Amino acid sequence: MTTSSEPEIGRARLRKEDARLITGQTNWTDNITAPGLLHLAILRSPMAHARLDRVDVAAARERPGVIAAFSGADLAAEQGSLPCAWPVTEDIVLPDHPPVAVDEVRYAGDPVAVVVARDAYAAADALEAIEVDYTPLDPVLDLEAALADDSPLVHADKDTNRCFSYHQPCGDYEAAKARADVVLHRRYHQQRLIPSAMEPRSVVVLPVAAAGEYTLYSATQIPHILRVMLAVTTGIPEHKLRVIAPDVGGGFGSKLQVYGEEVLALILAKRLGRPVKWTETRSEGNLATHHGRGQIQDIEIAATRDGTLLGLKADLLADMGAYLMLLTPSIPILGATMFPAIYKMDAYDFRCTGVFTTQTPTDAYRGAGRPEATYAIERIMDDLAAELGRDPLELRRHNWIKHEEFPYTTVAGMTYDSGNYEAATDRAQVLFGYDELVAERAKRNEQGDIFRLGIGISTYTEMCGLAPSRWLRDMRSGAGGWEAASIRMLPTGKAEVITGTSPHGQGHATAWSQIAADVLGIPFEDVEVLHGDTKLAPVGLDTYGSRSLVVGGTAVYEAAQKVVAKARQVAAHLMEANEADLEFSNGAFTVQGSPEAQKSIQEVAFAAFTSHHLPDGMQPTLSAEHVTDPDTFSFPHGTHLCAVEVDTETGAVKIRSYVCVDDIGKVVNPLIVEGQVHGGLAQGIAQALYEEAVYDEDGNLTSGTLADYLVPGAPDLPEFVTDRTETPATSNPMGVKGVGEAGTIASTPAVVNAVVDALRPLGVTEIRMPCTPERVWRAIQEAKEASR
Amino acid sequence: MTRISVKVDGTGYEDDVEPRLLLIHYLRDHLGRTGTPVGCDTGNCGACTVDLDGSTVKSCSVLAVQADGGEVTTVQGLAENGELHPLQKAFHDQHALQCGYCTPGMLMAARDLLAENPHPTPEDVRHGLEGNLCRCTGYQNIVKAVLAAAGEQREATS
Amino acid sequence: MIPAAFEYARPDSIGEAVRLLSRGGDETKVLAGGQSLMPMLRMRLSFPDLVVDVGRIDELRGVRDDGDRLVIGAMTTHHDVMRDPLVREHAGLLAAATATVADPAVRHRGTLGGSLAHADPAGDLPAVVLALDAELVTTERTIRAAEFFRDYLQSALAPDELLTQIRVPKLTGWGYHYEKFHRVAQAWAVVGVAAAVRRDNGRIAEARIGLTNMAPTPVRASATEEALAGADATGPAVEEATRDAAEGTRPSADASATPEYREHLARVLTRRAVLAAAGPERTA
């Protein structure tokens, strides 16, 4: 028998998910309806900070079609406080966070009252009838001013806007600095971003009131975590609550949350005994769905004159927004160990202060802490190269961990299992035409060209595969980081994979099918992946942090191995052979030396189903489960090179070419990987050039719609050149590392480095993100002034 | 209430609707044609793009009463006799979707683009899709898919 | 979001439309293509009692040749304007600028008359009709473009007055260019420059320049127009002449730009637009 069939792992399988999505046969939460469905609408604060003197919903209750209307006070007894599951320090300040504000509103968009009506139109109309008296309070918008003694307070009862102070010293930074020939200090700003998943959030609750049972559909990334947290928050017993994430239209961290609207829909369905739906509008979501980033980074780097790094210091102010949501304080801390990135140095010092402001709460957005870290180190490496007169790629080569030095424990205490920065960089340089572009840049500079060319570099790494449960314990997280999978072979030889991951565009149904088919030796088409429903897939910790393949995919792989192990026992029994003599390949067991006798895994599955001829004591059916708790993280890396043209008259930036070579270890499906990289790049570039959540001096969000929050369209992005090197991870059996966030993490500094590089000959050293035309133009004007 | 008569994906409907009812809500909430989703409230995202009387519109920026007497084609009417539209097939083949939320609008916009310009350059495709936002794909595979479908149409007609 | 309730009427004739408008008063809105009105209704920035949909009045559509000018029905869509052979031949600037409005789906519904009546200085077309010295014909009168745009989102139209036609003088053979500077493809112009240039043996005989988003209304760069008359169509000469392009403007501040930067852009973009317009003759 030949064994030449192409392995499923590594194959560019077209996606199983697409058939529904390209024909409109989708199951978005907002599509769900039910007899007697009621629509929830929420009145939100138009002010950043105010005392609620009066909230009167009486007139709203009288509006046609309105079933009920409630103020925060009306709901105070049952709405609870939204949870923060990761209190990062002992000194952390944890304010109350009612889903509907009771005494005070603390950001523009903070819920003030709710209406439940027979249709969405009636609900929207009734909001106009709610009367609210606000006494304006001072907004708190600036991170530094918020920490001053005389600052107005976001939470007056807490006496401070300081949420927490975190310090992680690694080695003696001051001693390293003292030995340095060059010390550079830079301040970088991570603007607030609005994640902007295309599907607005939505939640539908179907109650069976008599039984006290509730089914909650939500456009969420985390049905499992949501169920636990909703049970804890509302007191509805966990086993009476079923949470379903149906088709979910993107998340990027914004749906890794336990939102007030989910709590409200649940408690209102309970109170009213009727199904309740809430769907946000985009402009509502820009206020009410958590934001990302929001940091001021003070970075200091110390090096010798020959360019050898000695130490790095990062001191962050991190904008929490008005409240702590599920992971708010942990986001900057997730970057704590990643500022040293791929570089060797003697000492590192990390500090972070969390700060409350009267703005929408922040939380995870694609990359979550790691893009911020990567941005800072990759930007300052370019600045250091300029300071030392070195080629920025050469400076990186001089300092990075050599491929023969792995496994390598960084100054921050992370042990990188594998990597090959040389290979990725060499490949990227060739694809980019690095030397030609360097020559062209020199020529344009010499000619004083109005359109300058800039080359930006980012040799990034990231930590993926969140997360070892013990690491989470040590970091004061409230949860573990494992993932579960089970596989059952059906009587007809088909297989169901039940995963605890919860995809929303990532293609798990396809990739997990490939893994299971590969191990089980059955056709890809014969695998069905079940997910996103706590009744179908009861055990899981969901999808975020580039964890799904590394942790959840590994669980699928291991569960499939267990299925094969049991099948081997059954097959040996059926074939009257020793287990040790059985070979398993292409889905069939054969006895060594007599290849004509064989049992397919499908035959074994049927035998396990009938249970007529199983070994004594063996349980019927062929299935297995596995829970993977990773020992460590994985560390994808790569080299991204970006060329921009800057119009020095207008400040406009145009990306001319973008090359990335990523090393994400073993690839399960190259099509999916490329798609993840493309989308990641788009979001990272968007941070560099286009997007920013802008608040005015009163604390109003002025980028509240997609007309003024500038998500780039097809004409705004370049064609990307992507390639890969493959250095398998040694920390999991498939050698995978994760790819969901790589593009976002790597691309932002590559683009900004390119913009600054283009203008360095004019004296520009820093441009704040997003690098809008006006900011670029001003940077040029200021540099001109300075050189006068 | 205003009486309207609209044909949607080949089926005729007559309904009394409020004048303020948006076409997208008529399609989704009154007719159950939920294949077309809503992505924004300013007409920027294009997720709700449908064809009205032969050209694309953003169905969140059109009143149902404005479609009176008209014919609407949505993503759910693209396949014919169980045969996927070449663009649907191309989107699948080129991995031009991830979460799929923008896909219905993207398909309708691409169909309109190819009707106007059967031989587009990559730049033409990018500009033709400027009114449709995607947060997952970075557009690269969408452009590839539209070009592939254009090539297929060329082959089919030659 | 969801519009507040309103009454709806869909007249078949201009006369009926005017009757409805005069009955409704201030709380009546004309629905043309709806591409600006619908988002305003949805965001509840506008609460009309009555919406008069003029979309089915056939006499408001189409382009015709009327001697030394074109007559464009107010309800002619952007899609039709930018493809119309007459417009392309005799008012190429209008066709070019219209092609930059929003996106294809919006251009299918949005109309020239609707865009002008909305009087948004950030819209691309007000500056164009201003530069072209167009006339706006209403059910009451004929208004010169220079007198039509009164203030931010305010036109000269009375509540019971309907814009019916736009009369555009033919500038056959003129060079033209619309220079739109925006941050992403979909975004409004930070600044736009509509330039039409009559060329004469390497010189600029006459130039018309309208500026988008440089004041509460579209404005003409009059100082630059005067300086360009008779100037060489060369880089240095045009640069000299466009130095005053921002004179008389009153640009606003917003998240995309400060007034100072807008003024700077107006100068740079006017120079570029004029040079592009004065460049080799194009066939439409």
Side-chain angles (χ1 to χ4, degrees):
Chain A
M1 174 171 185
T2 59
T3 56
S4 62
S5 73
E6 196 185 335
E8 277 296 337
I9 293 178
R11 214 167 149 172
R13 280 286 188 188
L14 298 182
R15 296 199 321 166
K16 293 183 166 184
E17 293 85 345
D18 293 355
R20 291 182 349 275
L21 299 169
I22 57 177
T23 53
Q25 295 170 55
T26 37
N27 192 28
W28 312 115
T29 300
D30 188 52
N31 294 4
I32 293 163
T33 187
L37 180 72
L38 301 177
H39 292 258
L40 169 64
I42 297 172
L43 183 71
R44 296 179 184 278
S45 169
M47 293 184 198
H49 197 192
R51 201 172 63 231
L52 291 173
D53 296 321
R54 186 178 71 103
V55 180
D56 186 348
V57 298
R61 286 193 180 125
E62 301 308 314
R63 286 298 184 99
V66 172
I67 302 298
F70 301 107
S71 66
D74 295 335
L75 298 169
E78 58 201 299
Q79 68 175 348
S81 180
L82 295 175
C84 172
W86 198 331
V88 289
T89 60
E90 271 181 42
D91 74 349
I92 194 163
V93 171
L94 283 164
D96 262 1
H97 185 188
V100 179
V102 178
D103 305 315
E104 198 170 309
V105 286
R106 295 188 173 87
Y107 64 97
D110 209 352
V112 172
V114 300
V115 166
V116 185
R118 286 175 57 189
D119 65 68
Y121 281 52
D125 291 345
L127 292 184
E128 311 262 0
I130 298 173
E131 291 172 27
V132 185
D133 293 340
Y134 298 96
T135 298
L137 300 171
D138 289 328
V140 180
L141 303 168
D142 181 275
L143 295 182
E144 287 178 296
L147 294 176
D149 288 341
D150 59 350
S151 172
L153 294 171
V154 181
H155 298 275
D157 58 324
K158 301 297 182 193
D159 290 326
T160 176
N161 292 321
R162 184 186 301 269
C163 173
F164 67 86
S165 299
Y166 183 97
H167 184 206
Q168 184 178 335
C170 306
D172 188 342
Y173 173 75
E174 290 306 323
K177 182 179 173 182
R179 294 201 310 279
D181 303 315
V182 182
V183 176
L184 282 190
H185 184 98
R186 290 287 184 273
R187 169 169 277 209
Y188 302 123
H189 293 261
Q190 296 283 334
Q191 79 271 35
R192 271 177 173 254
L193 298 176
I194 301 180
S196 304
M198 290 316 299
E199 183 205 18
R201 287 191 292 121
S202 182
V203 56
V204 174
V205 179
L206 308 181
V208 183
E213 291 171 359
Y214 302 88
T215 299
L216 181 140
Y217 292 83
S218 183
T220 182
Q221 298 173 223
I222 53 162
H224 298 93
I225 295 172
L226 183 59
R227 179 164 86 146
V228 178
M229 301 314 290
L230 285 174
V232 170
T233 305
T234 65
I236 293 171
E238 189 181 351
H239 61 298
K240 297 293 185 187
L241 190 55
R242 175 185 184 186
V243 176
I244 299 174
D247 286 337
V248 177
F252 316 109
S254 71
K255 295 171 181 170
L256 162 54
Q257 192 54 270
V258 177
Y259 279 106
E261 295 86 359
E262 290 164 325
V263 171
L264 290 169
L266 183 56
I267 63 173
L268 291 168
K270 182 182 175 196
R271 193 188 259 223
L272 301 170
R274 289 177 64 175
V276 171
K277 176 192 277 188
W278 173 81
T279 299
E280 79 182 358
T281 64
R282 175 67 54 186
S283 51
E284 185 181 22
N286 278 13
L287 293 169
T289 295
H290 72 238
H291 292 177
R293 316 281 192 262
Q295 284 184 7
I296 296 174
Q297 308 174 308
D298 283 308
I299 309 296
E300 199 173 86
I301 196 162
T304 63
R305 182 133 347 260
D306 81 336
T308 304
L309 298 188
L310 298 174
L312 180 72
K313 190 165 106 172
D315 194 348
L316 313 183
L317 294 179
D319 185 353
M320 304 286 99
Y323 302 99
L324 300 185
M325 296 198 67
L326 189 66
L327 302 174
T328 302
S330 73
I331 302 304
I333 306 307
L334 281 169
T337 55
M338 297 315 287
F339 284 80
I342 64 171
Y343 308 113
K344 295 181 282 190
M345 61 188 75
D346 300 338
Y348 166 59
D349 190 85
F350 176 86
R351 280 177 196 275
C352 177
T353 304
V355 184
F356 290 112
T357 60
T358 53
Q359 301 173 103
T360 296
T362 61
D363 206 315
Y365 173 56
R366 203 169 191 173
R370 293 153 294 155
E372 296 91 320
T374 303
Y375 182 81
I377 182 66
E378 289 304 297
R379 286 280 294 108
I380 207 163
M381 285 300 281
D382 260 32
D383 283 348
L384 181 63
E387 178 77 19
L388 296 170
R390 300 274 301 260
D391 177 273
L393 260 183
E394 285 317 306
L395 182 73
R396 285 167 168 85
R397 269 181 208 283
H398 180 72
N399 284 290
W400 72 38
I401 303 156
K402 309 278 181 292
H403 70 272
E404 63 272 14
E405 293 175 305
F406 289 96
Y408 184 90
T409 300
T410 70
V411 66
M414 280 281 163
T415 301
Y416 297 174
D417 61 318
S418 68
N420 190 333
Y421 309 139
E422 297 89 334
T425 303
D426 290 348
R427 180 80 188 126
Q429 272 189 278
V430 171
L431 290 171
F432 190 62
Y434 188 79
D435 296 338
E436 293 82 346
L437 283 165
V438 167
E440 186 185 332
R441 175 181 63 188
K443 197 171 148 203
R444 289 198 194 200
N445 288 342
E446 218 168 276
Q447 293 170 344
D449 203 325
I450 286 170
F451 292 87
R452 293 295 173 108
L453 183 72
I455 298 169
I457 300 160
S458 170
T459 51
Y460 78 101
T461 188
E462 53 166 333
M463 53 186 256
C464 285
L466 265 54
S469 296
R470 289 178 181 189
W471 180 85
L472 288 168
R473 173 200 65 197
D474 295 343
M475 298 296 288
R476 299 176 51 87
S477 162
W482 46 264
E483 194 48 84
S486 50
I487 296 182
R488 46 185 186 239
M489 293 288 295
L490 304 177
T492 56
K494 316 293 185 195
E496 286 176 333
V497 172
I498 298 113
T499 177
T501 64
S502 193
H504 36 283
Q506 294 87 343
H508 295 176
T510 301
W512 289 194
S513 292
Q514 290 180 261
I515 294 169
D518 195 273
V519 177
L520 298 173
I522 65 174
F524 167 77
E525 295 77 14
D526 285 359
V527 185
E528 188 71 16
V529 177
L530 309 178
H531 60 76
D533 178 343
T534 58
K535 205 165 196 174
L536 287 181
V539 189
L541 286 173
D542 309 315
T543 287
Y544 42 85
S546 301
R547 72 187 302 270
S548 292
L549 176 61
V550 184
V551 190
T554 297
V556 172
Y557 179 88
E558 299 281 13
Q561 296 286 359
K562 286 183 179 173
V563 168
V564 172
K566 178 169 179 181
R568 180 184 297 274
Q569 290 179 305
V570 177
H573 184 73
L574 294 172
M575 296 166 85
E576 297 177 349
N578 281 326
E579 263 185 66
D581 295 338
L582 289 189
E583 281 178 357
F584 181 66
S585 91
N586 284 340
F589 292 97
T590 51
V591 182
Q592 267 171 4
S594 48
E596 63 287 352
Q598 61 163 285
K599 281 280 173 203
S600 71
I601 194 160
Q602 290 90 347
E603 289 173 288
V604 173
F606 189 74
F609 166 68
T610 62
S611 191
H612 294 171
H613 301 287
L614 292 185
D616 289 345
M618 177 176 279
Q619 291 184 6
T621 76
L622 183 55
S623 63
E625 58 182 59
H626 190 87
V627 183
T628 297
D629 196 346
D631 296 327
T632 178
F633 296 94
S634 60
F635 299 93
H637 68 82
T639 297
H640 288 219
L641 298 172
C642 175
V644 300
E645 286 184 14
V646 181
D647 178 342
T648 55
E649 285 189 330
T650 64
V653 174
K654 183 177 168 11
I655 294 181
R656 184 163 115 178
S657 61
Y658 196 103
V659 168
C660 63
V661 177
D662 296 299
D663 194 320
I664 56 159
K666 181 77 183 166
V667 168
V668 173
N669 184 324
L671 266 190
I672 290 177
V673 162
E674 263 195 36
Q676 287 289 321
V677 171
H678 293 162
L681 293 176
Q683 285 181 20
I685 291 169
Q687 178 174 14
L689 298 181
Y690 302 120
E691 296 178 15
E692 180 169 28
V694 181
Y695 284 86
D696 68 15
E697 59 194 14
D698 298 322
N700 300 306
L701 182 67
T702 59
S703 54
T705 72
L706 279 177
D708 32 42
Y709 186 82
L710 302 182
V711 171
D716 306 309
L717 293 168
E719 167 118 9
F720 310 117
V721 176
T722 63
D723 201 359
R724 287 186 300 276
T725 55
E726 188 170 308
T727 311
T730 61
S731 51
N732 61 70
M734 284 188 289
V736 298
K737 300 182 187 171
V739 71
E741 295 158 307
T744 310
I745 288 169
S747 58
T748 309
V751 175
V752 178
N753 276 340
V755 176
V756 173
D757 180 65
L759 302 178
R760 235 183 252 283
L762 305 177
V764 173
T765 55
E766 169 62 11
I767 300 170
R768 239 173 113 156
M769 294 190 292
C771 300
T772 64
E774 176 158 6
R775 282 187 182 151
V776 172
W777 176 74
R778 284 196 180 279
I780 296 167
Q781 305 315 308
E782 281 158 19
K784 271 186 196 163
E785 288 290 317
S787 70
R788 238 167 235 161
Chain B
M1 288 289 180
T2 304
R3 187 83 172 162
I4 61 168
S5 137
V6 187
K7 201 169 182 187
V8 178
D9 294 332
T11 305
Y13 301 88
E14 283 206 31
D15 280 295
D16 291 318
V17 300
E18 269 196 282
R20 62 167 164 163
L21 180 68
L22 305 177
L23 178 59
I24 182 61
H25 291 151
Y26 177 65
L27 295 172
R28 289 178 55 79
D29 301 337
H30 291 239
L31 305 184
R33 305 296 286 175
T34 52
T36 306
V38 187
C40 75
D41 37 23
T42 47
N44 288 89
C45 83
C48 66
T49 305
V50 301
D51 185 290
L52 174 60
D53 296 329
S55 51
T56 50
V57 301
K58 294 180 171 181
S59 62
C60 74
S61 300
V62 176
L63 298 170
V65 288
Q66 288 179 284
D68 180 28
E71 193 167 340
V72 174
T73 306
T74 77
V75 68
Q76 288 169 278
L78 279 187
E80 282 179 37
N81 308 318
E83 215 25 51
L84 290 180
H85 186 279
L87 275 164
Q88 290 174 309
K89 200 175 166 314
F91 269 53
H92 177 54
D93 291 344
Q94 304 297 332
H95 186 35
L97 61 149
Q98 290 177 36
C99 84
Y101 200 79
C102 75
T103 308
M106 212 48 102
L107 285 167
M108 299 312 292
R111 176 172 172 263
D112 188 73
L113 159 74
L114 292 185
E116 294 245 339
N117 178 5
H119 310 295
T121 64
E123 279 304 294
D124 293 339
V125 174
R126 285 183 184 268
H127 281 281
L129 299 177
E130 68 189 334
N132 292 74
L133 297 177
C134 170
R135 198 57 161 166
C136 296
T137 64
Y139 305 100
Q140 186 142 325
N141 288 349
I142 292 175
V143 175
K144 240 163 97 180
V146 176
L147 292 171
E152 196 155 300
Q153 276 182 4
R154 256 199 307 281
E155 269 170 40
T157 51
S158 64
Chain C
M1 283 174 83
I2 293 162
F6 49 76
E7 296 292 316
Y8 172 80
R10 192 169 62 211
D12 294 323
S13 69
I14 293 173
E16 200 188 331
V18 171
R19 268 192 302 282
L20 286 160
L21 291 176
S22 51
R23 211 174 61 209
D26 281 356
E27 305 308 313
T28 301
K29 279 273 179 198
V30 176
L31 174 60
Q35 300 305 289
S36 299
L37 181 60
M38 287 302 301
M40 291 185 68
L41 293 175
R42 293 184 70 196
M43 302 294 286
R44 297 200 174 200
L45 298 170
S46 175
F47 293 86
D49 294 332
L50 174 66
V51 169
V52 178
D53 178 0
V54 297
R56 303 284 174 98
I57 303 176
D58 289 340
E59 55 191 308
L60 290 176
R61 278 180 202 273
V63 180
R64 87 186 143 79
D65 194 326
D66 186 31
D68 58 357
R69 63 194 183 187
L70 299 178
V71 176
I72 304 174
M75 284 297 292
T76 311
T77 64
H78 301 313
H79 177 267
D80 289 349
V81 166
M82 62 190 260
R83 278 170 182 72
D84 188 274
L86 288 172
V87 175
R88 291 166 74 105
E89 188 179 350
H90 302 297
L93 177 61
L94 178 60
T98 304
T100 73
V101 172
D103 60 70
V106 169
R107 294 195 292 267
H108 285 141
R109 298 294 296 181
T111 63
L112 176 56
S115 292
L116 300 180
H118 188 50
D120 187 339
D124 300 296
L125 304 179
V128 172
V129 296
L130 186 69
L132 295 177
D133 281 334
E135 291 177 332
L136 291 88
V137 181
T138 77
T139 45
E140 296 288 324
R141 53 192 165 142
T142 299
I143 308 170
R144 291 180 46 225
E147 275 138 34
F148 184 79
F149 303 104
R150 291 290 171 81
D151 204 344
Y152 180 70
L153 301 185
Q154 273 181 31
S155 75
L157 289 170
D160 59 349
E161 189 177 15
L162 186 68
L163 179 62
T164 57
Q165 295 178 346
I166 295 88
R167 291 187 188 149
V168 182
K170 287 183 182 172
L171 296 183
T172 317
W174 286 46
Y176 59 85
H177 186 78
Y178 185 65
E179 182 80 21
K180 182 171 184 171
F181 190 85
H182 49 172
R183 289 193 47 210
V184 294
Q186 263 204 8
W188 296 95
V190 176
V191 173
V193 179
V197 170
R198 183 161 59 82
R199 293 158 295 196
D200 184 17
N201 283 329
R203 282 174 176 270
I204 294 169
E206 187 183 353
R208 313 263 194 87
I209 299 161
L211 302 178
T212 296
N213 215 5
M214 285 299 294
T217 64
V219 287
R220 287 281 282 266
S222 308
T224 292
E225 289 179 358
E226 278 167 36
L228 282 168
D232 284 340
T234 59
V238 171
E239 174 153 20
E240 178 62 34
T242 53
R243 207 157 275 168
D244 299 328
E247 198 182 287
T249 62
R250 282 186 294 141
S252 63
D254 60 29
S256 286
T258 59
E260 182 195 5
Y261 176 61
R262 282 202 161 92
E263 286 171 12
H264 166 76
L265 277 183
R267 289 186 282 271
V268 173
L269 302 178
T270 301
R271 187 187 80 225
R272 290 182 182 182
V274 169
L275 282 171
E281 237 169 285
R282 290 183 280 190
T283 44

